[in-house]
Structures are given as structure tokens and as C-alpha cells.
Amino acid sequence: MSAESVLIPDDRAFSNFKEECWSEEGWSQTYNKTGMTVWTQTIGGDEEKSLHKIKCRMVCKDVPAETMYDVLHDIEYRRKWDANVIETFDIGKLTVNADVGYYSWKCPKPLKNRDVITLRSWLPMGSDYIIMNYSVKHAKYPPKKDMVRAVSIQTGYLIQSHGPNHCTLTYLAHVDPKGSLPKWVVNKSSQFLAPKAMKKISKACLKYGEWKQRHNPGFKPWLYPEQTTLPTIPVSELSIQHADSLENIDESTLSEMQTREERDSD
């Protein structure tokens, strides 16, 4: 993508994302249990200060790919099942398969919470589905004082169908969380937080059909773009969110505060 102009991903961008989801070159496996695998990749030479990519793959033998796609799109349902979400909302649409949205989430204590503004795009590709995003700036949504504005360099999901009730979900994240994070955060993300988050998505899928029947069952603007009520915003209102233009905070000396939930799972 261009260094400055905001571009809506084309077919090549989706194909490249799919290839990276399945590439193993340069990735180190950090977790592999019961249908869940996690890999990490260090970007840059200094292990302590470098950015990390993380990739998780989960086999779901009781979830159709179509349901997984709906759950990852449905912002109302996310507010119900995503315990990490603080606030999430759509800002506006760009095309029939691209929009801009806001998401803030709770970080492991004692770190500050993070938020992002992202351009999100999606595409069904045969029996597969891709949802991906990257960070943009919008003048009406500047960084907040009580949050750290993170940067999604490229983040997304690849859903692959293996039959009527069987799919594989791959999550790929290349995010600059802004700040010098302690190494325990990186390790915790790959060993505990990422697998836990993937399992929550899988459980949410199992309950989605029943929930959706009671909450506007026919409303799926990600499948039927004519249903959207979002205002159209011109790409010219957006600009690339560069990580180096945001405040850097040093949290590298913070010690981990283990939660009761983690102690119980140890």
C-alpha cells in the first residue's frame, strides 16, 4: 500500500493476505494444543523493542464457515460476547465491502487500554472468507487522553470451509501497540491471550443462531449491502495512521498482575 494515500484493498491485497496466513517461512511456533496453533514473528533486530506479528489457527469442527463470518462481522453481537471490548462502533462506509470503524479494548493490567480507528474490508473467495483491516486517521476521532492509540499495520481473519459444519479460522495480526512493552506481554499474548480469544470466538459461534433469531435476524449488511444505514464517507477524509506520529509510552518496566482467571487455569 502507498505510504500516504488511503487505498481500499483490491483482489491482489486479499490474495497476499491469504498467502501470508498459510506461509510458515519466518514464523516460530509458540503454542500447539487441541486444534489450536500460534506462531509469532519478530520484525526488526532487537527482540526486546521490536514489533511482533502473531498468527493463530483454530480448527472448528462444529461451526460452519458462514456462521464464523457472520459472528466476526456482527458488531451488536460482539458487544455481547467480547469481554475485552470497551467500545466499538462503525463510523461510515466507503464501498459495498469496506467501512471505517472504532474499537477500544482492555489490556492486561497494569497496561493502559488501547484503541484503534481502522479501514476494514471483506471478501468472500469461493468457500473462503477474508476480513482484514489497517489503521487510518479521521479528524473527528483523535486519540483520547485515557487511551493509547494503537496502530494496526495489517490485521485480519481467514475463514476456510471444510464442509457444512467444519471450518478453520486463521487470525493474523501485525499491530504496533505503541509503547515499549515488557517481554511478558508478548509471551502472554501468544501463550494465553490469543488462544483464549480464539476459543471465545468459537463458543460465540455456537450461540449465534439462537441470539440472531431474537435480534433482527434478517439484518446482515455485510452480506446485503443495500441494508446498511451507515453514511458514506469519502476516502479523502481519511489518512494513513503512522505509528511514529503518535505518543510513545514506556511500559517496559511494568510487572505482570496475574488475574484470578489465569491462576485458575494454570
Side-chain angles (χ1 to χ4, degrees):
M1 285 175 184
S2 162
E4 296 300 333
S5 59
V6 170
L7 299 177
I8 296 170
D10 56 14
D11 288 349
R12 178 183 289 183
F14 282 102
S15 295
N16 289 344
F17 178 81
K18 186 175 180 179
E19 284 178 20
E20 187 165 9
C21 282
W22 280 98
S23 170
E24 295 190 6
E25 186 176 346
W27 291 90
S28 302
Q29 189 178 113
T30 59
Y31 182 98
N32 188 8
K33 291 180 185 175
T34 58
M36 179 95 61
T37 312
V38 181
W39 300 264
T40 58
Q41 186 180 108
T42 303
I43 311 298
D46 188 336
E47 178 73 22
E48 290 293 331
K49 296 180 181 177
S50 297
L51 295 178
H52 288 74
K53 286 185 178 182
I54 188 167
K55 178 163 58 177
C56 315
R57 186 173 301 139
M58 174 176 62
V59 177
C60 302
K61 294 186 177 178
D62 47 5
V63 176
E66 297 82 3
T67 300
M68 181 70 73
Y69 188 59
D70 287 348
V71 166
L72 292 172
H73 266 292
D74 197 321
I75 196 168
E76 295 298 329
Y77 189 53
R78 178 172 285 274
R79 293 188 183 111
K80 176 176 174 58
W81 66 262
D82 186 351
N84 291 319
V85 68
I86 298 172
E87 186 179 15
T88 182
F89 55 85
D90 297 323
I91 295 170
K93 68 175 182 178
L94 298 166
T95 66
V96 293
N97 68 324
D99 62 18
V100 177
Y102 174 87
Y103 180 78
S104 58
W105 70 96
K106 301 169 190 170
C107 286
K109 293 180 179 179
L111 304 182
K112 285 190 172 184
N113 295 328
R114 261 66 176 173
D115 68 357
V116 285
I117 303 284
T118 59
L119 187 160
R120 184 180 64 154
S121 53
W122 55 92
L123 187 69
M125 299 177 73
S127 60
D128 302 339
Y129 301 88
I130 291 175
I131 305 170
M132 59 186 190
N133 71 59
Y134 70 94
S135 280
V136 292
K137 283 195 288 190
H138 191 291
K140 292 181 181 177
Y141 301 94
K144 298 181 177 183
K145 289 182 179 179
D146 59 338
M147 294 270 179
V148 177
R149 179 63 50 92
V151 177
S152 168
I153 297 164
Q154 185 174 54
T155 302
Y157 299 95
L158 167 65
I159 307 162
Q160 297 185 287
S161 177
H162 304 296
N165 286 298
H166 184 191
C167 72
T168 300
L169 174 66
T170 304
Y171 169 70
L172 176 64
H174 184 189
V175 175
D176 186 339
K178 290 311 298 174
S180 302
L181 296 175
K183 196 167 183 179
W184 65 261
V185 173
V186 178
N187 293 335
K188 183 174 180 175
S189 294
S190 61
Q191 296 291 337
F192 179 78
L193 297 177
K196 181 183 171 191
M198 296 286 274
K199 289 172 187 173
K200 280 193 172 182
I201 293 171
S202 180
K203 286 182 179 178
C205 288
L206 299 177
K207 299 177 181 178
Y208 181 66
E210 181 187 350
W211 180 89
K212 189 62 175 169
Q213 281 299 315
R214 303 193 311 273
H215 298 82
N216 211 350
F219 185 70
K220 295 183 179 182
W222 52 93
L223 297 179
Y224 313 111
E226 67 277 6
Q227 294 180 343
T228 188
T229 57
L230 290 176
T232 299
I233 55 176
V235 177
S236 59
E237 287 188 8
L238 306 172
S239 57
I240 297 288
Q241 177 67 77
H242 292 291
D244 56 12
S245 70
L246 293 167
E247 179 187 4
N248 231 336
I249 63 167
D250 187 355
E251 298 174 302
S252 59
T253 59
L254 295 176
S255 299
E256 180 175 7
M257 293 168 61
Q258 194 176 38
T259 65
R260 181 184 300 171
E261 189 175 25
E262 290 168 74
R263 288 195 295 269
D264 292 344
S265 68
D266 285 348

